[in-house]
């Protein structure tokens, strides 16, 4: 069992040989929640979510394939268990269904609810996050900031020790994404102004074209009337 705990950022691989302890997971599907009481006393009160797994030949479980065995599927870009090497490439790949059975070698679980006891290496220690949030709205959420606060002052910087011991350590910070600055607002105003000018120019061109068309239609009507008048005058003169 490969158990991950999102609360602490820890992950632990636990080998279980006794099949009777694993029967609680059989016939369950990916993303279903399972009680950990059957695994032993140390897992009492824990609730796990099945997030995936691999069979004994190493083929991964695929969500949505409601079978307890392997199948060959035609996969394309956007499918899990497949990474296209060329644009538009599709490939028939072997994947394992999402129903848990005894032929699995590894089952991936995520701790949903913590039980009574701590599991050493999983719930007793916390791994600090290496990187902080990058997007402006997520930095605001992380530090509970208002829109008046400057996000750039709250970016989490990390210190990097150079390989050369003579050089001083330096800090690195991510480039903030979706940051609204006066320059971005000016660019937006410029884009909107261009759009407005184009719309106005097209309206003017349309009005000019309609005016010209009306003029041409009027001229053609006058010509037709003139021709009719001259022909009727000619007929009357010959009569």
């Amino acid at each position: 069992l490969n158990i991950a705990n999102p609360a602490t950022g820890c992950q632990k691989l636990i080998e279980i040989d006794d099949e009777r302890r694993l029967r609680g997971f059989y016939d369950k599907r990916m993303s279903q929640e399972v009680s950990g009481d059957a695994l032993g006393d140390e897992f009492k009160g824990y609730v796990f979510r099945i997030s995936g797994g691999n069979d004994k030949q190493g083929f991964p479980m695929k969500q949505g394939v409601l079978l307890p065995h392997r199948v060959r599927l035609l996969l394309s870009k956007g499918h899990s268990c497949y990474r296209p090497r060329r644009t538009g490439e599709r490939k028939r790949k072997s994947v394992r269904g999402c129903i848990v059975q005894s032929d699995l070698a590894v089952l991936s679980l995520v701790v949903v609810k913590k039980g009574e006891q701590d599991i050493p290496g999983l719930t007793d220690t916390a791994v600090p996050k290496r990187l902080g949030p990058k997007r402006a709205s997520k930095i605001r959420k992380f530090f509970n900031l208002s829109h008046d606060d400057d996000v750039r002052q709250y970016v989490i910087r990390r210190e990097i020790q150079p390989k050369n011991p003579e050089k001083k350590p330096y800090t690195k910070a991510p480039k903030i994404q979706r940051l609204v600055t006066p320059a971005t607002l000016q660019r937006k105003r410029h884009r909107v102004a261009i759009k407005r000018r184009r719309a106005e120019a097209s309206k003017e061109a349309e009005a000019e074209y309609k005016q010209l068309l009306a003029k041409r239609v009027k001229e053609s009507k006058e010509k037709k009337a003139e021709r009719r008048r001259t022909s009727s005058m000619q007929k009357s003169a010959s009569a």
Side-chain angles (χ1 to χ4, degrees), residues 11-201:
Q11 195 170 325
K12 192 173 183 182
L13 194 68
I14 298 168
E15 285 195 31
I16 296 175
D17 297 323
D18 189 3
E19 202 174 309
R20 285 175 297 181
R21 289 167 69 186
L22 298 169
R23 277 181 189 159
F25 293 99
Y26 289 174
D27 298 324
K28 295 282 192 292
R29 279 156 48 179
M30 271 173 73
S31 74
Q32 271 192 324
E33 291 182 2
V34 184
S35 172
D37 295 350
L39 291 172
D41 294 334
E42 67 267 30
F43 296 101
K44 203 167 188 180
Y46 279 87
V47 176
F48 299 108
R49 190 182 80 247
I50 300 167
S51 60
N54 292 71
D55 67 6
K56 284 169 184 168
Q57 285 73 39
F59 291 98
M61 290 172 78
K62 182 169 169 61
Q63 180 69 288
V65 182
L66 303 178
L67 293 167
H69 54 79
R70 258 201 317 265
V71 285
R72 283 174 65 78
L73 299 177
L74 188 67
L75 304 177
S76 60
K77 189 186 175 187
H79 287 122
S80 58
C81 311
Y82 175 63
R83 182 168 64 87
R85 304 305 199 272
R86 300 181 70 173
T87 307
E89 184 186 43
R90 296 188 303 164
K91 213 167 194 181
R92 197 169 290 282
K93 304 279 281 185
S94 288
V95 289
R96 172 66 171 64
C98 69
I99 297 171
V100 179
Q101 274 300 332
S102 58
D103 64 331
L104 292 178
V106 180
L107 188 66
S108 300
L109 304 173
V110 177
V111 176
V112 175
K113 185 186 165 197
K114 194 184 167 194
E116 299 161 8
Q117 297 178 17
D118 273 334
I119 300 168
L122 189 67
T123 56
D124 56 350
T125 54
V127 177
K129 280 188 175 180
R130 196 176 73 90
L131 302 173
K134 186 179 169 80
R135 194 185 297 173
S137 59
K138 291 193 174 178
I139 295 170
R140 279 197 194 94
K141 189 180 174 186
F142 192 75
F143 290 105
N144 199 17
L145 304 175
S146 69
H147 277 276
D148 301 326
D149 295 316
D150 188 7
V151 178
R152 288 170 290 191
Q153 304 299 321
Y154 293 88
V155 179
I156 295 172
R157 304 186 74 87
R158 58 191 178 97
E159 194 174 281
I160 292 175
Q161 198 73 37
K163 287 180 182 176
N164 189 347
E166 294 171 9
K167 288 184 178 177
K168 288 181 181 177
Y170 59 94
T171 58
K172 256 190 177 182
K175 185 190 173 196
I176 303 170
Q177 300 297 313
R178 303 189 192 177
L179 180 66
V180 179
T181 59
T184 57
L185 292 172
Q186 171 59 36
R187 285 192 206 109
K188 189 177 180 181
R189 283 197 296 272
H190 181 59
R191 280 200 307 271
V192 171
I194 289 170
K195 205 174 179 182
R196 199 186 305 116
R197 282 203 294 271
R198 277 184 192 151
E200 284 168 6

Side-chain angles (χ1 to χ4, degrees), residues 198-228:
R198 277 184 192 151
E200 284 168 6
S202 67
K203 266 187 186 176
E204 283 172 17
E206 190 185 5
E208 202 177 308
Y209 172 73
K210 282 180 177 173
Q211 203 176 349
L212 186 67
L213 197 67
K215 188 183 172 187
R216 294 270 166 87
V217 169
K218 191 181 176 185
E219 283 174 3
S220 67
K221 278 182 181 176
E222 283 173 0
K223 278 180 184 177
K224 275 182 186 176
E226 187 68 35
R227 277 202 296 271
R228 278 185 196 137

